[in-house]
Amino acid sequence: MTGQQHPRRYSGTALLPVAGLVLGFVAASFVQAGAHGAKHNPTRFRYLQKHGIPEVYKNLKSPVMTKADISKGATLFAENCASCHGATGEGDGEAGKDLNPKPPALRSMMDMMAMMRQEGHAMKGMKKMMGMMNNNPDGYLIWTVSEGGAAMNTAMPAFKDILSEKERWQVISYMLDGFKAKAGKN
Ligand code: HEC
């Protein structure tokens, strides 16, 4: 077993398992299997399939986010989201326990989103989900955080009147960064 056995080959069949994983994401991000998180949350997915992302959000892109923005995002997440989604996005927040649908574990879902933002359609399995998101995961995220789940009858709050647009992008950047930054710096 030497390094020789792994030539750099990031195309074709080498990516198939990953693509499968991502296709799985279509269902999986909505079928979270976190220990305490929601097991099944197809509500938003169904809505997306049927209606797509609302016009005002579908082309929005995150502004460039600095380390300070991400850190601010951590604080905002702790203050506004952790109660339901858990301190590090595992879906295990106290306030989410009795909700139906439950707050999904955001962590794995955000990993996928981060990947899609970078790889785009380069990966076959992502095409369908990307298409549903208008090829713009940012639009999906800012829509979700801004409007919450009112249109689909879930407990996800709308943050458009609570957080400024910049703050919404900051919290999104914290999540896309893998929930790593520490809260506290403002
Ligand atoms: C009162 C509980 C509650 C709070 C607080 C809350 N959420 Fe949610 N969230 C939910 C629920 C329930 C869902 C699942 C239903 C839905 O997608 O509307 C959800 C879904 C989501 C999704 C979609 C995940 C997916 O599967 O596509 C994202 C992203 C999200 N929340 C981010 C946030 C962020 C960021 C905050 C804070 C700014 C936040 N939430 C605060 C309850 C909450």
Side-chain angles (χ1 to χ4, degrees):
M1 287 285 161
T2 68
Q4 299 283 348
Q5 308 229 339
H6 298 285
R8 271 174 277 126
R9 193 164 63 94
Y10 279 105
S11 62
T13 50
L15 276 179
L16 274 178
V18 185
L21 196 81
V22 171
L23 247 191
F25 157 77
V26 173
S29 90
F30 307 91
V31 184
Q32 294 288 348
H36 308 285
K39 292 253 183 325
H40 195 221
N41 172 31
T43 317
R44 184 164 296 272
F45 178 57
R46 278 206 217 104
Y47 186 92
L48 182 69
Q49 242 178 343
K50 211 165 161 191
H51 305 281
I53 301 170
E55 210 55 43
V56 274
Y57 297 108
K58 65 197 258 186
N59 294 316
L60 294 187
K61 297 256 189 208
S62 175
V64 174
M65 290 277 122
T66 64
K67 265 192 157 167
D69 287 316
I70 295 173
S71 163
K72 176 76 191 300
T75 306
L76 293 169
F77 188 89
E79 289 169 359
N80 297 282
C81 322
S83 57
C84 285
H85 288 287
T88 53
E90 303 289 359
D92 54 354
E94 199 57 36
K97 282 201 168 122
D98 298 322
L99 298 178
N100 182 23
K102 283 192 169 40
L106 293 175
R107 238 184 130 107
S108 47
M109 184 227 163
M110 293 306 291
D111 286 350
M112 286 295 175
M113 286 282 178
M115 202 154 100
M116 283 202 243
R117 288 179 96 232
Q118 276 171 14
E119 312 284 334
H121 340 233
M123 306 174 98
K124 242 182 160 180
M126 287 177 175
K127 268 195 166 160
K128 194 173 169 195
M129 186 61 189
M130 282 294 276
M132 263 186 253
M133 293 192 299
N134 191 38
N135 296 318
N136 182 23
D138 286 13
Y140 176 85
L141 294 170
I142 194 73
W143 161 57
T144 301
V145 177
S146 301
E147 298 294 334
M152 59 211 83
N153 255 316
T154 76
M156 170 67 195
F159 285 95
K160 64 180 175 188
D161 298 326
I162 297 172
L163 302 176
S164 70
E165 185 170 337
K166 176 148 191 223
E167 288 173 324
R168 279 172 266 151
W169 286 120
Q170 286 172 325
V171 86
I172 288 167
S173 73
Y174 163 69
M175 298 192 294
L176 285 170
D177 187 56
F179 297 82
K180 295 192 297 254
K182 295 265 181 293
K185 274 190 253 160
N186 272 296

